[in-house]
Structures are given as structure tokens and as C-alpha cells.
Amino acid sequence: LVPCLEAVVPSALKQAMATTAQAKGVAVSSAGSTFLQKIHPELYCDVGLLLLFVGFVLGLHFLYYEVAMLKRPMQRRILSQLLVASLASAFLGVGFFFMFAWAGLYT
């Protein structure tokens, strides 16, 4: 390494480690705490991954439907598209919430 980088890299690494050690989680609202109280903290990762998987599957189904309907635009149904997109969004949102709680972002 260049001599000036040797002095900068360790200090930047030390500073990053100090700020992460001092970082505290974000307080959860009362609506979010109801989700967290109903599930044991050891299961946050499993529940989060399951919800993310379901959300991604629904999202892929939505994309597949959109691409398939390019050939037949007159057969599109807006209600089913909105329902699948809403469900995918809800599953992904709650899944990421549990993954963030598992990672310690929420206290």
C-alpha cells in the first residue's frame, strides 16, 4: 500500500467499528411491537425468510403475468394484478420488518 493509505485505512476502520458499536436500534411503534410480541425472537429470521420467499414468488408471478399479457393485451384483468401486487408488497414489507428485527435494527 501507499504510505498515506496505510495511515488512513486503519483509522477509518477503527472509526467505523466504533460507530457501529455505539449504534442503537430504532424504537418500534405500537403497531410494529404487536407483530414482534406474538413471535419468539429466535424465530424472527425464519418468519422473515418465509415471508420474503412468499413475497418474491408472488412478485415473480406478477412479472410473469405481465410478460404473458403482452401477447394478449385484451385479456388483462386489473383486479387480479392489483391483488397480486398488493399481496406481494405486504409479504415483502413484513418479511423485511422481521429480518430487520432479527438483525437488531429494531429494539
Side-chain angles (χ1 to χ4, degrees), residues 78-88:
I78 189 74
L79 186 61
S80 65
Q81 290 173 324
L82 288 174
L83 180 66
V84 171
S86 300
L87 284 174

Side-chain angles (χ1 to χ4, degrees), residues 1 10 15 20 27 69 77 79 91 93:
L1 288 173
Q15 184 180 8
T20 55
M69 287 296 119
R77 287 179 269 143
L79 186 61
F91 278 111

Side-chain angles (χ1 to χ4, degrees), residues 16-93:
M17 290 173 61
T19 55
T20 55
Q22 294 173 356
K24 294 182 181 178
V26 177
V28 181
S29 68
S30 62
S33 66
T34 57
F35 285 114
L36 294 177
Q37 290 174 352
K38 292 181 181 181
I39 297 176
H40 196 272
E42 291 179 1
L43 296 176
Y44 287 168
C45 181
D46 297 331
V47 171
L49 288 175
L50 177 68
L51 292 172
L52 286 175
F53 177 75
V54 171
F56 282 126
V57 168
L58 286 171
L60 287 174
H61 173 70
F62 177 79
L63 289 175
Y64 176 77
Y65 182 80
E66 286 294 317
V67 171
M69 287 296 119
L70 289 175
K71 297 177 185 175
R72 303 170 274 163
M74 300 304 280
Q75 294 179 356
R76 284 187 179 180
R77 287 179 269 143
I78 189 74
L79 186 61
S80 65
Q81 290 173 324
L82 288 174
L83 180 66
V84 171
S86 300
L87 284 174
S89 175
F91 278 111
L92 288 172

